[in-house]
Amino acid sequence: MQPKVRKAVFPAAGLGTRFLPATKAQPKEMLPIVDKPIIQYGVEEALHSGIQNIIIVTGRGKSAIEDHFDVSFELENLLETRAKKDLLAIVRSISDMINVSYVRQKEALGLGHAVLRALELVGQEPFAVVLADDLIDAETPCLRQLLDVYSFFCSPVLAVMEVPRESISAYGAIDAEPISHNGSHDRVYRIRDLVEKPKPEDAPSNLAIIGRYVLTPEIFDSIQSVTPGSGGEIQLTDALKHLLRSRPIYAVRFEGTRYDAGDKLGFLKATVEYALRRPDLGAPFLDYLKTLKL
Ligand code: UTP
């Protein structure tokens, strides 16, 4: 029997070039959607999926992420003396929530390389990978949906979503056959092949891999076996393709909405929708939007 998935790796060492100049001196993972940094949504998703051990792969200029999940004595003292109990609880809940470790990726050499940096902290057990800039709004957390399938097959599981065919070249695509799982025939797939950023006409499907994975520790050997691509980057998709030779990999077309918060338009869409849903902001924000006469 496979051990339980206890750890989630958050690669957060990318350069965030799509969000320059905002990301010149601050990590994109710390950009707020309404009032919460992007990465905290991902950490909360992991927690709600039953994972408390968080491993964040950071790079240069990412110390704000460490500060965010650390205890802030000065801030807590100030809020305590000013009797701001609600804010104190919000600030404390962040550092109390998780057991967090950090590992550094000195150079942004790709997602595969970032995951490999977590090898020692993960050890020989299955683990999740969360790309926090893929913000997912779902009734059952996306990671939980993957873990449910993992616990059945005990093999790696990736999250996928349907995208318009002309957009597939921005993603990794899967060639896969639907399989029956718990009576559902249309959400779980067994992967036959993976292709990183295919041209629309060459894509095996319009099922795009997005930023949630449950992996088994053999992926580390596969990452070490693949040849770096352009710019010396090691792609996780290439490592998964390598792993596919020796074990099955599954995909789940998750239920929920994904926002690419690492991209300006995706970030704006998430901001508007999350703000509209907030009990304290939704109504006045909607009133304001109506005045725009769009
Ligand atoms: P992205 O493809 O979004 O790249 O990485 P990026 O560098 O962060 O952003 P852009 O494209 O330049 O705007 C997907 C995830 O993988 C992490 C990123 O932090 C992000 O969470 N990543 C990527 C690393 O940790 N290390 C890398 O070398 C590359």
Side-chain angles (χ1 to χ4, degrees):
M1 203 184 85
Q2 282 278 12
K4 193 173 176 283
V5 178
R6 300 181 308 133
K7 299 172 182 174
V9 174
F10 283 66
L15 300 176
T17 53
R18 283 172 296 158
F19 237 113
L20 281 168
T23 46
K24 187 176 169 211
Q26 72 170 327
K28 77 171 162 191
E29 294 78 11
M30 289 302 295
L31 297 172
I33 302 290
V34 186
D35 55 5
K36 207 189 280 182
I38 290 173
I39 193 165
Q40 193 176 331
Y41 288 94
V43 167
E44 288 177 5
E45 181 185 325
L47 272 175
H48 295 146
S49 303
I51 299 180
Q52 274 95 22
N53 296 298
I54 305 296
I55 298 165
I56 303 182
V57 184
T58 65
R60 204 176 308 132
K62 301 274 183 167
S63 56
I65 299 178
E66 296 180 34
D67 292 341
H68 181 70
F69 291 110
D70 202 355
V71 176
S72 172
F73 290 111
E74 299 84 345
L75 180 61
E76 290 187 19
N77 261 337
L78 189 86
L79 294 173
E80 206 151 19
T81 50
R82 295 194 181 164
K84 305 247 180 201
K85 282 205 183 118
D86 295 355
L87 289 177
L88 186 62
I90 290 174
V91 167
R92 281 211 175 125
S93 71
I94 299 162
S95 47
D96 286 351
M97 238 166 22
I98 47 165
N99 179 9
V100 60
S101 331
Y102 299 92
V103 63
R104 202 110 170 139
Q105 185 191 21
K106 287 191 190 136
E107 244 184 297
L109 290 177
L111 179 57
H113 183 264
V115 171
L116 184 60
R117 298 294 300 126
L119 167 60
E120 281 192 20
L121 290 171
V122 168
Q124 288 304 308
E125 52 180 284
F127 63 104
V129 173
V130 175
L131 306 187
D133 44 358
D134 274 344
L135 190 65
I136 300 177
D137 179 37
E139 222 170 279
T140 303
C142 179
L143 194 52
R144 183 69 259 160
Q145 298 178 40
L146 264 56
L147 288 167
D148 289 344
V149 174
Y150 168 79
S151 63
F152 189 81
F153 293 110
C154 297
S155 271
V157 184
L158 322 181
V160 294
M161 64 183 253
E162 281 179 322
V163 299
R165 196 159 263 273
E166 61 276 15
S167 316
I168 194 74
S169 45
Y171 302 86
I174 60 166
D175 176 8
E177 57 183 319
I179 53 167
S180 168
H181 171 65
N182 279 351
S184 108
H185 293 268
D186 62 343
R187 291 213 166 260
V188 181
Y189 300 81
R190 182 167 169 160
I191 295 179
R192 283 189 288 248
D193 196 11
L194 305 105
V195 193
E196 181 67 8
K197 302 192 167 64
K199 286 188 196 144
E201 60 274 24
D202 300 335
S205 73
N206 65 340
L207 290 170
I209 303 169
I210 58 104
R212 299 291 184 276
Y213 308 77
V214 176
L215 300 174
T216 51
E218 306 87 63
I219 192 69
F220 293 122
D221 287 337
S222 291
I223 296 172
Q224 282 165 307
S225 308
V226 299
T227 340
S230 64
E233 290 208 353
I234 300 177
Q235 300 303 344
L236 186 59
T237 308
D238 292 339
L240 288 163
K241 205 173 155 75
H242 179 274
L243 183 61
L244 195 56
R245 292 189 217 152
S246 56
R247 77 178 291 165
I249 302 179
Y250 296 89
V252 177
R253 195 161 48 78
F254 67 95
E255 283 181 89
T257 308
R258 170 252 189 194
Y259 302 89
D260 181 2
D263 165 80
K264 286 170 204 167
L265 186 59
F267 179 89
L268 287 171
K269 288 179 186 171
T271 301
V272 169
E273 295 201 29
Y274 277 62
L276 285 171
R277 253 182 269 140
R278 279 274 294 256
D280 54 339
L281 291 169
F285 186 46
L286 182 62
D287 287 345
Y288 164 72
L289 290 179
K290 283 180 184 157
T291 67
L292 296 179
K293 299 188 181 68
L294 301 170

